[in-house]
Amino acid sequence: MSSTCSVVIVGGGIGGVSTAAALRNRGFLGDLTIVDAGELPYDRPPLSKDYLAGRKSLDDIALQSPDWYDDQSITLRNNTTVAALRADSGTVELTTGEQLRADRVVLATGGQAVRPRLPGAGIDALHVLRSAEDADNLRKVLLPGARILVVGAGLIGAEVASTALHLGADVTLVDPLAEPLSAAIGRDAAEWLHSVHAANGITTITAGIDGFEKTTDGIRTYLRGEPHHFDAVVLGVGMTPNTQLAEWAGLAVDRGIIVSAGQLTSNPAVLAVGDPTRRTVDGAVRKRAEHWEAAQHDGARAAATILGLSLPAETAPWFWTDRHGLHVEAVGQMSAATTAVTRGAIGEPPFAVFGIRHGNVVSAAAVNDSNAVRAARRLIDRAIAVDCRQLGDPGVDLRKLLRA
Amino acid sequence: MSEGILVANLDDIAEGEGIAIDKSITGTDDNIALLRDDDGAVWALDDTCTHETASLAEGWVEDGHVECPLHASKFCLKSGDVQGLPATRNTCPHRVEIRDGGIWLFPNETP
């Protein structure tokens, strides 16, 4: 057991709260503090779905109940922001001037929604979605009949478009790609998934955007050269990592906080987890993962590193997205596949598409068939060779392939 | 101590899978998921995930746990205790007995 007596976690998203939970789970008995700018740490995936739709409250989407922090002896410094990190002295300086001392600091600073530097990008009716406050502001304009433009049809954009439609808005969804998400779920599945928007009544346009103009009753933008008018616009075009504290503290940052396989930054007194990080695995610096479960796994690794315990086993990256009543999951690296095997028929859920390389599953994507993805994850993690005919046969129980 | 209800045969559930027993049969507030672990043992939990509306009977059952088919919240088969986010609340376990290949359910009795 290491001699760490105190840990301060900066940020109460899924990465920060998972780090705290994992530290206590694995036996950390020292002082544990989470500093967070909000009232009570909450889960972000519902912000584009049930929370945006008004079906769930902030209390409903709390990552943990208020009692949990007491039960776990975690000091939650809520409504608190950090001004600076002094890595060498292990000091976190709050914007109030108060200083928190810690043996180890964990940066779980998250990110911000990208606001592209386009003409008109500062107009009030241009929304982004990253926080509950963003969702509250957006909900006010998603009224029946409101003309809403959603820019970006990846994950958040597609989910917001679906929620807005089901709230009665008149939704246009624009993306420069004809098949958004194809890198993650494969071209054919992506093409069909994108077509579901139009089938439900969303106008989908393949185009880029070069600016916005404020008009007397909303926003005008040009799509494929034609002027279009909207009451509000939602930008779902990605995130920028919050790396400022790390940069000011002199930590290695390159489009993300560079961390080791065990989440250590370039200063061993400081760890970092979640969206703003880039992990170094087998000598290669990975891209930012930017997924919910990835942040959770970062937290588990950070806790293990702090406690001097072995790291949890690596597992293939996984994410989900929910839109128009469909549940989509994907696992692994689609780009690594050389051939694809379809189980069921694309466009007729439940179905799954597996990516294969040298007789092994390297990726899978499924619509309304999450157990196919859960099976694929285990096939990938355990490097089990598969028979493609069995994999593609909906009559074959995929659990049997795991026991082969 | 109730007499229990014969709800299914052991052969009805493959190892690693589950079936849902309707609340009209169990007399409980929620349907009950019968979940068969990969070691063959059968467990029973409230069927609806405590996070969002999804049937745990359709989840992935392995190594003493069931993983929700929606967002992969994990619950202990024996205790119903939540083991992984996004769910934060435990689900309710029910006692099960196997007699002559039949699965007998004792709703609301602790396993």
Side-chain angles (χ1 to χ4, degrees):
Chain A
M1 187 67 69
S2 73
S3 58
T4 301
C5 298
S6 58
V7 175
V8 169
I9 299 168
V10 181
I14 182 68
V17 170
S18 294
T19 304
L23 277 167
R24 287 298 188 227
N25 258 334
R26 299 197 74 177
F28 179 64
L29 299 173
D31 292 338
L32 186 47
T33 301
I34 298 175
V35 182
D36 188 61
E39 178 66 29
L40 182 67
Y42 56 83
D43 203 20
R44 290 183 197 276
L47 295 182
S48 54
K49 302 178 279 280
D50 279 352
Y51 183 80
L52 182 61
R55 286 192 294 266
K56 284 196 172 177
S57 68
L58 207 48
D59 284 346
D60 292 332
I61 65 166
L63 275 171
Q64 295 289 355
S65 71
D67 295 344
W68 180 83
Y69 298 89
D70 294 337
D71 294 346
Q72 298 289 318
S73 300
I74 295 167
T75 304
L76 176 62
R77 296 292 303 263
N78 61 351
N79 302 312
T80 303
T81 47
V82 172
L85 162 66
R86 303 192 201 295
D88 293 328
S89 60
T91 307
V92 172
E93 189 179 311
L94 306 181
T95 43
T96 55
E98 188 185 345
Q99 313 232 333
L100 304 179
R101 286 295 316 278
D103 297 316
R104 293 289 187 102
V105 176
V106 181
L107 295 177
T109 45
Q112 293 169 39
V114 169
R115 278 185 179 270
R117 288 185 187 165
L118 293 173
I123 296 171
D124 284 348
L126 275 182
H127 292 256
V128 293
L129 182 56
R130 176 82 194 179
S131 65
E133 194 184 358
D134 292 336
D136 294 340
N137 290 329
L138 181 56
R139 190 189 301 120
K140 288 176 196 151
V141 301
L142 297 182
L143 303 170
R147 299 164 303 170
I148 305 295
L149 173 67
V150 180
V151 181
L155 298 174
I156 289 175
E159 292 177 350
V160 167
S162 167
T163 302
L165 180 82
H166 295 283
L167 289 172
D170 174 8
V171 183
T172 301
L173 178 61
V174 62
D175 195 288
L177 301 175
E179 300 103 18
L181 275 193
S182 58
I185 67 170
R187 190 177 170 279
D188 294 342
E191 184 180 13
W192 175 77
L193 192 63
H194 192 55
S195 77
V196 173
H197 292 300
N200 277 273
I202 290 174
T203 304
T204 51
I205 298 177
T206 304
I209 297 246
D210 51 17
F212 303 96
E213 295 165 35
K214 192 169 180 164
T215 63
T216 48
D217 65 341
I219 294 182
R220 177 169 55 225
T221 188
Y222 288 83
L223 301 171
R224 295 174 159 269
E226 294 289 318
H228 288 256
H229 298 265
F230 300 100
D231 297 307
V233 174
V234 192
L235 301 170
V237 294
M239 61 152 267
T240 40
N242 285 337
T243 57
Q244 210 159 39
L245 280 179
E247 285 172 52
W248 289 341
L251 306 179
V253 172
D254 176 13
R255 289 159 291 166
I257 305 168
I258 307 297
V259 296
S260 69
Q263 309 298 140
L264 286 171
T265 68
S266 56
N267 185 320
V270 182
L271 296 88
V273 297
D275 282 353
T277 61
R278 295 182 64 195
R279 249 177 108 219
T280 312
V281 181
D282 299 329
V285 181
R286 292 183 176 177
K287 290 196 288 189
R288 299 191 306 266
E290 298 184 11
H291 283 300
W292 184 93
E293 193 199 50
Q296 209 184 20
H297 288 168
D298 284 357
R301 281 189 288 264
T305 298
I306 289 168
L307 293 167
L309 301 172
S310 60
L311 295 179
E314 296 283 334
T315 175
W318 170 82
F319 74 88
W320 82 85
T321 174
D322 297 314
R323 74 273 294 270
H324 302 297
L326 298 171
H327 178 67
V328 183
E329 293 194 7
V331 68
Q333 296 290 347
M334 195 58 83
S335 59
T338 50
T339 51
V341 171
T342 304
R343 183 177 167 91
I346 288 176
E348 293 170 32
F351 69 88
V353 182
F354 299 90
I356 310 291
R357 185 187 184 89
H358 302 316
N360 281 299
V361 176
V362 292
S363 68
V367 179
N368 291 357
D369 190 1
S370 45
N371 281 342
V373 167
R374 312 293 165 88
R377 177 175 231 173
R378 287 158 177 87
L379 290 168
I380 298 168
D381 290 349
R382 299 174 198 168
I384 296 171
V386 290
D387 176 332
C388 289
R389 271 178 313 170
Q390 288 193 315
L391 198 60
D393 180 353
V396 172
D397 180 359
L398 293 176
R399 290 176 178 86
K400 290 211 175 89
L401 302 184
L402 284 169
R403 295 184 198 115
Chain B
M1 191 75 75
S2 74
E3 291 193 359
I5 314 163
L6 176 64
V7 287
N9 290 317
L10 202 50
D11 295 343
D12 295 339
I13 318 174
E15 287 174 7
E17 293 189 16
I19 59 172
I21 305 297
D22 198 87
K23 58 191 177 188
S24 64
I25 295 168
T26 61
T28 44
D29 291 341
D30 189 10
N31 299 340
I32 292 179
L34 292 182
L35 303 162
R36 192 161 184 203
D37 206 352
D38 41 13
D39 65 0
V42 177
W43 303 94
L45 300 174
D46 275 1
D47 186 46
T48 307
C49 181
T50 63
H51 175 238
E52 286 185 12
T53 305
S55 164
L56 294 181
E58 292 169 17
W60 185 273
V61 183
E62 187 180 62
D63 203 15
H65 299 95
V66 58
E67 220 178 85
C68 174
L70 264 191
H71 305 127
S73 293
K74 224 168 147 182
F75 298 90
C76 172
L77 291 175
K78 190 175 178 184
S79 67
D81 288 355
V82 64
Q83 310 282 308
L85 293 170
T88 55
R89 283 176 293 121
N90 298 336
T91 190
C92 178
H94 306 272
R95 191 166 73 84
V96 162
E97 247 183 56
I98 309 296
R99 285 186 217 144
D100 301 327
I103 303 174
W104 291 75
L105 182 62
F106 298 79
N108 298 319
E109 279 188 30
T110 307

